[in-house]
Amino acid sequence: MDKLRITGGTRLQGEITISGAKNAALPILCASLLTADTLTLHNVPALNDISTTLKLLNRLGVRTTHDPAASTVTLNAGEITSLEAPYELVKTMRASILVLGPLLTRFGEARVSLPGGCAIGQRPVDQHIKGLAALGADISIEKGFVVARASRLKGTTVRTDMVTVTGTENLLMAAVLAEGRTILENAAREPEIVDLAELLIKMGARISGHGTDRIVIDGVEKLHGATHSISPDRIEAGSFLCAVAATGGDVMLRGTAADAMGATLDKLTEAGLALETGTDWIRARMERRPTAVSVRTLEYPGFATDMQAQIMALNTVANGTAVIVETIFENRYMHVQELCRLGANIDIDGHTAVVHGVERLSGANVMATDLRASAGLVIAGLAAEGETIIDRIYHLDRGYEKMERKLSMLGANIQRLSSKEAA
C-alpha cells in the first residue's frame, strides 16, 4: 500500500495546471448510457474513480477507450449487454448509483447495487428512489439491489426532501428521455450539475434552469452523440490554494474557473491569501501567517463540505481560533485525530470543531481516512516541521490527479513510497 513522505517547511513557488473535475466527470461518463451514439470527452482526470466508472460501464456493455496522457475518453453504449451494476464494482464508489437513471429511462429497467464510497456518514439514495417513483418507475429493494422498471417515465414535478447533488444528477438524466415535462424543485446548484446539463443539451436534451434550484426538462425521444470538455476541478484548485495559504509562497493555477469557487476564495482572502483571477487562472500569494477563518459547510454556493478538511488544516497553523460547523455529513471529522498527531489543537463537540491555531506543527505518521481528509493531511504535512508519513493514500488517488507530482513542481519535498519502500 503506497504512502506519501513529506518534509515540510518549504514555501510553494511556480505554476501548475488544474485537472478536470472528478465530480463532473463521473455523471458525464454515466450519461453515455443515454444514447447509442459515441460520446467524446476531453479534460478527463486520470483518477481511480474514473477507472472504476469505466470498468462498471464496460461491464454493462459500453465500449470505451481511455487515453490518460491526452485526458480523453470515448464511449459508445450502442450494444448494452447488461442492466445490472454489481456490488463488487459499486461498493467502493457511491457515484455508481448514477447509472440508475440513465439505464431506467433508456432501457426501462435497471438493477444497481446499493453503493459504498468514503466512510463519512450516511448518504442514502432514498431521494433518488422517491424521484424516480414520482416519474412512474416501479422500484423495490431486492437482496441489496435497487431494482427499477418502467415502460417509459412520465414527466412530473419532483420535490426532493433535501438538496442532493447525485440525486439531482440522476433525476436530470432520467427526465431527459421521459414523456412530457419534468420540473426538479429544490435541485442542487453545483457547477458540476451545470456541466452535466450542458453536455446533455449538446446531446439534444431540452433543459433550462440548471444552476438554479428549479430545473425544467422537456423530454425527447432520443439523444445523439457529442463532444465535451470536463469543467475544471474547483475542489482540487481550492486544495492547492489552502496549501499556499498554509505554507506561504507564490503560485499560479492554470485551467481553473474562479467564478465557480466563490465561497472558497472569499474565505481564503479572509485568511490573508492575496488572490488575482482571470478567466482561466488564479494567482495566489501568501507572505504572512494566515488568520483563522470560521466556516459553516453548506450546499452550493455556500462553503463546500469537500473543502472542510483542507480549511481545517490551514486553520491549525493560523493566528487565532476558528469555528468549523459541518452540516452536510455527520461523520466527517475523522481527520481531526490525525491532525492532532501532528500537534494541532482541535476540540470537537458534535458537528462543531474549534481549531486553536498553533505556531507550528511537527511531522508524524498519520493515516488518511477519506478522500478530502487525505488532502487536509497533505496540507498539514507541508506546513509541519520535519517528516510526515501519510498512510492509506489510495483515498487521495480517488480524487486528485498526481497530487504529489504537482506539489513537487511547486518545490514541495514530497515523495510517493511504494509498498516495498514504505515497509
Side-chain angles (χ1 to χ4, degrees):
M1 189 180 297
D2 288 1
K3 301 180 182 182
L4 285 181
R5 178 172 61 202
I6 303 171
T7 302
T10 302
R11 289 167 58 84
L12 301 180
Q13 308 274 348
E15 180 177 309
I16 57 171
T17 299
I18 295 302
S19 301
K22 172 184 87 87
N23 289 340
L26 297 180
I28 284 174
L29 289 171
C30 295
S32 64
L33 294 165
L34 292 167
T35 178
D37 295 340
T38 297
L39 202 61
T40 301
L41 303 176
H42 300 292
N43 202 32
V44 180
L47 303 170
N48 286 354
D49 275 10
I50 297 296
S51 299
T52 300
T53 302
L54 291 176
K55 288 178 184 177
L56 173 58
L57 293 172
N58 290 154
R59 177 71 70 91
L60 299 175
V62 181
R63 299 193 305 275
T64 66
T65 60
H66 183 198
D67 184 351
S71 303
T72 299
V73 174
T74 61
L75 310 100
N76 184 283
E79 298 180 5
I80 293 299
T81 56
S82 173
L83 300 176
E84 179 175 302
Y87 175 70
E88 63 265 25
L89 287 176
V90 172
K91 64 182 179 180
T92 62
M93 190 181 66
R94 181 178 182 268
S96 302
I97 194 69
L98 289 168
V99 302
L100 178 61
L103 286 175
L104 176 63
T105 196
R106 181 173 165 212
F107 298 101
E109 184 178 346
R111 287 176 52 89
V112 180
S113 176
L114 290 169
C118 285
I120 56 175
Q122 294 298 314
R123 298 193 284 183
V125 297
D126 60 323
Q127 298 303 303
H128 304 238
I129 293 171
K130 173 185 174 181
L132 292 172
L135 291 169
D138 178 16
I139 301 182
S140 59
I141 305 297
E142 301 175 9
K143 299 180 179 179
F145 282 83
V146 179
V147 180
R149 298 180 179 86
S151 55
R152 185 181 183 189
L153 298 177
K154 297 186 183 300
T156 188
T157 297
V158 178
R159 298 182 183 87
T160 53
D161 299 333
M162 57 185 287
V163 177
T164 162
V165 175
T166 53
T168 298
E169 291 164 343
N170 232 342
L171 296 174
L172 175 60
M173 289 190 283
V176 294
L177 294 179
E179 180 182 346
R181 171 169 287 188
T182 299
I183 300 175
L184 302 182
E185 300 276 11
N186 201 27
R189 296 184 282 171
E190 271 69 7
E192 295 78 19
I193 289 172
V194 175
D195 202 16
L196 171 63
E198 291 298 325
L199 164 74
L200 295 172
I201 290 169
K202 290 180 182 178
M203 296 170 67
R206 298 172 61 192
I207 302 169
S208 62
H210 42 298
T212 76
D213 61 2
R214 186 177 187 271
I215 303 176
V216 179
I217 309 106
D218 289 303
V220 298
E221 290 290 334
K222 63 183 297 187
L223 298 180
H224 52 72
T227 299
H228 185 75
S229 184
I230 304 297
S231 61
D233 195 321
R234 61 192 173 96
I235 305 301
E236 183 193 23
S239 300
F240 279 104
L241 292 176
C242 282
V244 179
T247 64
D250 187 343
V251 170
M252 176 71 80
L253 304 184
R254 300 286 186 184
T256 62
D259 58 354
M261 296 178 60
T264 296
L265 296 189
D266 290 345
K267 285 298 177 180
L268 288 172
T269 299
E270 187 180 331
L273 188 64
L275 295 170
E276 299 174 53
T277 63
T279 54
D280 62 351
W281 57 269
I282 300 173
R283 183 183 181 187
R285 287 173 290 174
M286 193 67 166
E287 302 297 336
R288 62 175 177 82
R289 184 181 174 191
T291 300
V293 288
S294 296
V295 300
R296 183 183 183 88
T297 63
L298 293 168
E299 295 86 1
Y300 191 85
F303 191 86
T305 181
D306 278 355
M307 282 298 304
Q308 179 254 105
Q310 300 91 309
I311 203 77
M312 181 181 288
L314 167 61
N315 277 318
T316 62
V317 294
N319 183 25
T321 297
V323 177
I324 297 175
V325 181
E326 174 60 61
T327 71
I328 308 299
F329 295 123
E330 73 278 5
N331 196 25
R332 205 165 199 176
Y333 284 145
M334 291 188 293
H335 49 279
V336 168
Q337 63 183 2
E338 302 302 308
L339 289 172
C340 289
R341 286 178 57 81
L342 296 170
N345 183 356
I346 306 170
D347 299 318
I348 299 292
D349 183 7
H351 296 284
T352 300
V354 179
V355 186
H356 309 278
V358 298
E359 288 195 11
R360 62 183 59 85
L361 300 175
S362 298
N365 288 0
V366 293
M367 181 178 66
T369 54
D370 62 69
L371 169 54
R372 304 307 173 185
S374 305
L377 292 176
V378 169
I379 292 165
L382 292 170
E385 291 184 347
E387 183 177 275
T388 296
I389 302 292
I390 304 176
D391 199 358
R392 295 177 64 180
I393 60 167
Y394 60 84
H395 288 295
L396 191 75
D397 294 335
R398 287 187 50 223
Y400 290 91
E401 184 176 29
K402 303 172 183 174
M403 190 181 206
E404 74 277 10
R405 294 189 193 178
K406 293 183 179 181
L407 285 168
S408 293
M409 291 170 62
L410 300 177
N413 189 341
I414 179 172
Q415 299 90 31
R416 178 180 289 259
L417 305 178
S418 68
S419 300
K420 292 182 180 179
E421 292 173 307

